[in-house]
Amino acid sequence: MRPQDSATTDRTAPQDLPSIIRPYGDTTGDAMVQLSFSLPVPAGKRAELAALQLAGKMGLEPASVVHSKAMGPNFTFFIVYGKVNHLIDYAGIEVPEGREYPLLSGKEIDLAIRTVLSRRMVVVGACIGTDAHTVGIDAILNVKGFAGEKGLEYHREIQVINMGAQVTVEELVERAKAENADAVLVSQVVTQKNAHIHNTKQMAAAFHAAYPTAVGPGMGRPLLIAGGPRFDTVTEQELGVDRIFGKGTTPREVASYLVHALLPSWTPENPAEGER
Ligand code: B12
């Protein structure tokens, strides 16, 4: 791996870091924080006292309600401002490595696929369940791309089938089989009642059942990739997928991962080694 490729590695030397820190509200180190939440009660004095009780139980002492507003007859929204007593050992924090694979250029991605696969890589993408938020998956797949990077469709060597929104698991498995998909990319943005977790697990289970052989270009199960802004509480193992991508993901990160995971024999420094 090229050292400069690690996305979130903190390059600040530990001796340059403050060791113990507190939140900053009005003045440095005053430990003041602001918190917003809603309670299922009508607005009023009792509701504000309930909000303060919650703040106290969360360790905000003293605290004050700086804003409260009725949201319909039986709900109230609050902003509470208060002091916390907790300290953070900033220098002691261990920052995980971001990416376990190198970030490739567009040319390197196409070259890798052409050299090792000798055909186009087939990627099937969809928003599954009732989710209609297509902006995220389109940002990864469509030519237009995201954050100044072109989407996967831009690559000559990647064939993209974007099935759009509200695709059922059955439709997705059927299409992946029909297209001989190398990778299946699923987006889940709605997280109400953990729909994103249930839907992704259901999708993964269906692919594991439909494909008896392990991941492998043209023969086994397609690589399963889940993406969305709120997957940070679960692991790949829990969902049954090969990789999760979170908020801020760019198409190049995904394309580089596809090369890393599906064409492991290819290395950007010496592409000839991967030829077969
Ligand atoms: C635009 C939008 C809509 C549009 C969607 C239009 C469309 N064609 O996509 C419309 C108006 C249709 C809509 C409807 C609804 N929405 Co809406 N919507 C949003 C909004 C404002 C922006 C989402 C967005 O486009 N983000 C920009 C993209 C680029 O970011 P992203 O999705 O995170 O994607 C990035 C990464 O996560 C990742 N990624 C995402 N998917 C994938 C997939 C793969 C394979 C990979 C590798 C990476 C990846 O890469 C992307 C680029 O970095 C959000 C609030 C917000 N600010 O996020 C609410 C929000 C998502 N919506 C919400 C809700 C509740 C709804 C509705 C239920 C509202 C209603 N009562 O009708 C409906 C649901 C419709 C449905 N059936 O799904 C809630 C969800 C809350 C929750 N906990 O689930 C949010 C968070 C708003 C809120 N705060 O309440 N919505």
Side-chain angles (χ1 to χ4, degrees):
M1 175 169 165
R2 297 182 285 199
Q4 72 273 20
D5 288 337
S6 182
T8 58
T9 303
D10 189 340
R11 285 181 206 83
T12 321
Q15 63 269 24
D16 297 338
L17 298 172
S19 58
I20 302 298
I21 57 166
R22 276 183 237 263
Y24 171 120
D26 298 317
T27 54
T28 306
D30 63 8
M32 298 300 284
V33 301
Q34 184 173 293
L35 178 69
S36 68
F37 54 88
S38 45
L39 292 178
V41 291
K45 197 67 204 158
R46 183 181 288 270
E48 291 200 4
L49 290 170
L52 285 178
Q53 193 180 113
L54 177 66
K57 287 181 175 171
M58 292 175 78
L60 269 71
E61 184 65 49
S64 50
V65 173
V66 293
H67 178 70
S68 76
K69 190 167 172 43
M71 297 191 302
N74 294 319
F75 294 87
T76 310
F77 174 74
F78 299 93
I79 298 178
V80 167
Y81 189 57
K83 182 175 176 137
V84 290
N85 291 309
H86 314 295
L87 301 174
I88 300 159
D89 175 8
Y90 191 60
I93 291 173
E94 297 208 358
V95 183
E97 291 284 319
R99 204 183 309 108
E100 73 282 16
Y101 57 91
L103 198 55
L104 305 178
S105 70
K107 276 188 181 162
E108 285 176 317
I109 290 160
D110 278 335
L111 178 65
I113 299 171
R114 204 163 40 244
T115 309
V116 182
L117 212 50
S118 306
R119 62 167 171 81
R120 295 176 85 199
M121 182 183 280
V122 180
V123 170
V124 174
C127 273
I128 57 169
T130 58
D131 206 329
H133 294 85
T134 49
V135 179
I137 186 94
D138 287 348
I140 304 299
L141 298 181
N142 290 3
V143 175
K144 194 167 76 173
F146 182 69
E149 292 180 10
K150 302 278 190 204
L152 302 194
E153 276 180 358
Y154 182 73
H155 291 272
R156 292 171 70 105
E157 305 297 341
I158 302 181
Q159 184 193 344
V160 173
I161 296 115
N162 186 346
M163 295 179 70
Q166 302 192 328
V167 174
T168 66
V169 167
E170 294 73 33
E171 288 165 342
L172 185 63
V173 173
E174 199 179 308
R175 190 70 187 267
K177 286 212 152 187
E179 303 285 352
N180 272 331
D182 296 300
V184 169
L185 274 62
V186 155
S187 181
Q188 286 288 269
V189 175
V190 172
T191 60
Q192 287 159 336
K193 297 189 177 162
N194 278 335
H196 62 312
I197 294 175
H198 299 310
N199 290 341
T200 308
K201 279 186 177 174
Q202 194 201 347
M203 179 277 300
F207 273 95
H208 285 276
Y211 288 85
T213 42
V215 170
M219 38 181 189
R221 167 176 74 75
L223 197 69
L224 299 178
I225 300 178
R230 297 193 191 164
F231 274 115
D232 25 12
T233 58
V234 279
T235 63
E236 279 88 359
Q237 291 71 27
E238 286 166 323
L239 294 179
V241 299
D242 299 292
R243 190 68 151 79
I244 299 171
F245 284 93
K247 55 176 182 273
T249 301
T250 68
R252 192 172 155 212
E253 289 175 320
V254 179
S256 300
Y257 173 71
L258 289 173
V259 170
H260 163 80
L262 289 171
L263 314 173
S265 61
W266 194 81
T267 49
E269 287 81 12
N270 191 1
E273 270 181 19
E275 275 183 80
R276 56 180 179 184

